[in-house]
Amino acid sequence: RPKEWFEKFRWCFTRSGLLVIGGRDAHSNEVLVKRHLQEKDWYFHADIHGAPHCVLKVEKQVPVLADFEDAAAFAGIFSSVWKKGLFGVRVYKVAPSQVSKKAPSGESLGRGAFVIEGEREWFEPLLRTGLGLQSMKSGFGIIMVGPLSCVQAHGQYVMEIVPGPKSKNEIAQAYQRGLHKLSPPIQVSLDELVSVLPPGEFSLKPVSQ
């Protein structure tokens, strides 16, 4: 299937349909801020080492509080909380003008590092995480991982990702087997499934309707 431009990053859609994107590593963090953080957008970052830069993309639609809460939850989900065995993390939001590459005098910033200036707005998001299959305008299905409420709003075959003993490969294989059992079966790349999961170990939990 044709790839969407944002699949180079972590991504999901808020409940109202705004795109949130996040870096996968130092290089993509750098690219994300330099190329994709625009004047009307909002920058989010979890207050923990190993968290990605995240951007709530704003075009014609004016974001509401729920969009900010979804973006904050996204930033928390893809931080290092899973690896560290934590159940929550604080996340802040700032305007693009507050994100700078200007290092303090006598210091330098490495790739993917930025300075945040001024006041920050803080969130303590609920980190319930969902995995589902979202239909795109292209007609193809695409795997989305993000806040459970967002995945439920846009996706089908939704499962909740919870802390557990299984690796990303095991989770991806289990979800892939479930899609193969549907009538007609749905084919999804195992590599794609693994690539969208956050770092850490998990279990899959059915979502009650």
Side-chain angles (χ1 to χ4, degrees), residues 131-133 143 145 156-159 161 166-197 204:
L131 164 66
L133 184 69
I143 297 294
V145 172
Q156 297 178 292
Y157 317 114
V158 178
M159 300 288 284
I161 300 172
K166 296 184 178 180
S167 68
K168 292 204 295 185
N169 276 327
E170 290 174 308
I171 292 298
Q173 289 168 358
Y175 190 75
Q176 186 186 54
R177 286 195 297 270
L179 294 181
H180 285 176
K181 291 177 181 178
L182 296 172
S183 182
I186 295 175
Q187 306 292 332
V188 175
S189 161
L190 187 63
D191 288 342
E192 178 184 348
L193 273 163
V194 171
S195 73
V196 298
L197 292 169
L204 284 182

Side-chain angles (χ1 to χ4, degrees), residues 103-182:
S105 179
E107 299 181 21
S108 61
L109 295 175
R111 175 180 286 185
F114 291 84
V115 172
I116 306 300
E117 302 169 334
E119 293 293 320
R120 311 176 188 196
E121 182 177 350
W122 290 92
F123 297 82
E124 294 186 3
L126 181 66
L127 301 185
R128 291 190 69 184
T129 306
L131 164 66
L133 184 69
Q134 175 170 338
S135 296
M136 303 300 292
K137 291 180 181 178
S138 63
F140 290 88
I142 182 172
I143 297 294
M144 184 169 90
V145 172
L148 179 60
S149 58
C150 299
V151 179
Q152 287 179 302
H154 301 289
Q156 297 178 292
Y157 317 114
V158 178
M159 300 288 284
E160 184 174 4
I161 300 172
V162 297
K166 296 184 178 180
S167 68
K168 292 204 295 185
N169 276 327
E170 290 174 308
I171 292 298
Q173 289 168 358
Y175 190 75
Q176 186 186 54
R177 286 195 297 270
L179 294 181
H180 285 176
K181 291 177 181 178
L182 296 172

Side-chain angles (χ1 to χ4, degrees), residues 48-60:
I48 189 173
H49 181 71
H53 299 306
C54 298
V55 174
L56 175 65
K57 297 296 297 176
V58 179
E59 295 180 355
K60 296 179 181 178

